[in-house]
Amino acid sequence: MSHVAIIGCGVVGAAIAYELSQVPGLNITVVDKQPPPSLSPTRGEVREINHSYQGATSAALGVLMGAISHKVKGKAWQMRQASIQRYESLIPELEAAIGRKIPFNRQGILMLCLEGENLPSWEELVKVRADQGWHLEIWDTAQLQVKCPQLSLAKISAAVYSPQDRQVDPSALRVALVEAADRNGVSFQFGVSVLGMETTAPDGENFSVCKQIDTTNGTIEVDWLVMAAGLGSTPLTASLAQSIEIGPVLGQALHLRLEHPLGNPDFQPVITGNDVHIVPVGGADYWVGATVEFPVDGYKVVADASQLDAVMEEAIAFCPELAKATIIRTWSGLRPRPSGRPAPIIGNLQGFSNILLATGHYRNGILLAPATAQAIREAILG
């Protein structure tokens, strides 16, 4: 029996726990300093209402931009492709395990092209994706007017539609992963902080080994330690003299409610343009976001109301009916962005044979969670 400890239970940590829970012979413990999410049914869905949770999961809108991204090769594309493919089986798998639906929009993503957009680059991407087995469509303004009559075309020259990309409720997904992993025997310790890690350097070995972690709830012996703590990964690695610098980037979003759905109620894709997302979440409700706000003085970042106003103004420019919406709530969260290296950081912590990093996903934690979990599983199984 191998003992695996996972530090951090955002969507990435929860996905790793669920993936590993299906491997025989692993004893898995997940530690997270935050309390477990409080849940409340909303139109038959499960949503997180504990808004004090300020991890990256709270900032996310769950927009899974795979085929419509301009990543076409290498690890960046491989991980996106693996995740989009895994989501198609993962969502029904989790729904069967927990006995309820997970909000999962299968109607694709519509990328708005503004005037002056480089359309030939999109035409080339359509060809590349076709060769890779994925489908993209370029719509002119006449097609847009028919398919999405809610759009104002004043600033729009065309659009790219990706029918195979998706959107998922991040909080509902996280809860489902935790519940399913728990049913598979994973031990979750919420409200527990890591105090330190005990390591040894065996004689003649070039790598140190972590033997146990010390927490506010006692000690946990480990054969493998997975750090999926987002921003918390920096102090954890610093305590081992292998500091991985990850800084916060704040994101704000809004939950809006209209009297009726935008456009055609039977066709409700995610609409995105100029880095603003309009996300249908059921009925006549929509999420709009998200801002990208960097620290102004070192590590601390404070939400700027004017940036959220600007996002809302852009969304209204695309869909004027949103000006009539009622704001149900606004929220924010901190995304973990690596300093001086690409996101995400997946693999062994330098100098340690049994410490794995799965952190620093920045804006793609929800998208890349399944592929990250698969990568950690492969690393542990060799």
Side-chain angles (χ1 to χ4, degrees):
M1 182 71 71
S2 291
H3 295 266
V4 180
I6 301 168
I7 303 175
C9 195
V11 164
V12 171
I16 293 169
Y18 175 70
E19 184 74 24
L20 295 181
S21 75
Q22 300 173 83
V23 178
L26 294 183
N27 183 310
I28 304 159
T29 303
V30 181
V31 176
D32 194 299
K33 66 180 180 181
Q34 299 291 340
S38 300
L39 301 175
S40 175
T42 304
R43 297 188 310 280
E45 300 170 2
V46 174
R47 297 197 182 276
E48 186 170 326
I49 60 173
N50 178 11
H51 304 312
S52 63
Y53 188 86
Q54 291 296 302
T57 301
S58 296
L61 299 176
V63 180
L64 309 177
M65 302 179 74
I68 208 168
S69 79
H70 280 279
K71 306 292 185 182
V72 297
K73 61 183 179 180
K75 186 177 180 180
W77 164 242
Q78 292 166 5
M79 288 195 68
R80 285 175 186 255
Q81 178 173 238
S83 279
I84 290 295
Q85 290 171 333
R86 175 61 175 133
Y87 266 116
E88 293 304 302
S89 60
L90 177 63
I91 296 301
E93 191 177 298
L94 291 172
E95 290 176 339
I98 65 175
R100 64 172 181 273
K101 289 291 185 181
I102 299 169
F104 186 59
N105 189 339
R106 293 179 169 86
Q107 298 198 3
I109 296 176
L110 183 68
M111 175 77 74
L112 304 178
C113 301
L114 306 187
E115 292 178 349
E117 186 96 18
N118 184 9
L119 282 180
S121 69
W122 285 109
E123 293 167 352
E124 179 62 27
L125 183 63
V126 170
K127 295 176 184 177
V128 170
R129 290 292 184 249
D131 291 339
Q132 294 173 332
W134 297 84
H135 181 68
L136 293 177
E137 302 172 10
I138 297 180
W139 294 354
D140 59 23
T141 52
Q143 289 172 293
L144 268 176
Q145 191 72 67
V146 171
K147 295 178 183 293
C148 298
Q150 72 269 34
L151 290 172
S152 168
L153 304 180
K155 298 166 53 178
I156 302 170
S157 60
V160 182
Y161 178 56
S162 178
Q164 293 165 290
D165 283 333
R166 302 287 185 252
Q167 184 273 336
V168 65
D169 183 315
S171 295
L173 172 63
R174 172 177 174 248
V175 171
L177 288 164
V178 170
E179 287 188 19
D182 177 75
R183 296 183 187 204
N184 287 346
V186 175
S187 172
F188 289 90
Q189 298 184 16
F190 289 104
V192 173
S193 297
V194 174
L195 302 176
M197 290 160 279
E198 296 191 16
T199 64
T200 61
D203 292 340
E205 297 291 338
N206 295 324
F207 295 95
S208 296
V209 176
C210 180
K211 304 299 291 183
Q212 70 178 42
I213 60 174
D214 301 320
T215 77
T216 52
N217 197 38
T219 62
I220 302 172
E221 293 184 0
V222 300
D223 296 300
W224 289 95
L225 175 61
V226 181
M227 293 186 183
L231 293 169
S233 301
T234 295
L236 286 171
T237 54
S239 70
L240 299 171
Q242 294 291 347
S243 182
I244 302 294
E245 294 298 323
I246 300 176
V249 179
L250 188 139
Q252 299 183 75
L254 307 101
H255 181 167
L256 307 178
R257 180 166 296 162
L258 291 159
E259 292 184 358
H260 54 79
L262 293 169
N264 179 358
D266 296 323
F267 181 59
Q268 294 285 302
V270 172
I271 295 175
T272 182
N274 201 22
D275 209 23
V276 171
H277 303 307
I278 302 169
V279 181
V281 291
D285 284 21
Y286 295 85
W287 292 342
V288 170
T291 65
V292 180
E293 303 174 52
F294 294 89
V296 292
D297 54 350
Y299 192 80
K300 189 176 181 180
V301 57
V302 179
D304 181 350
S306 67
Q307 292 205 34
L308 189 59
D309 290 343
V311 166
M312 184 63 184
E313 289 172 8
E314 187 78 334
I316 290 172
F318 294 142
C319 295
E321 285 183 73
L322 289 175
K324 304 174 184 177
T326 299
I327 298 176
I328 302 300
R329 67 183 178 107
T330 63
W331 74 95
S332 65
L334 298 175
R335 314 175 183 98
R337 179 175 181 264
S339 300
R341 59 194 297 176
I345 304 171
I346 302 172
N348 277 87
L349 178 65
Q350 183 177 349
F352 293 87
S353 62
N354 69 332
I355 299 181
L356 298 171
L357 298 171
T359 189
H361 286 72
Y362 189 26
R363 301 180 72 185
N364 291 312
I366 312 301
L367 169 62
L368 299 180
T372 301
Q374 291 172 341
I376 295 299
R377 174 175 173 158
E378 290 170 8
I380 289 176
L381 297 184

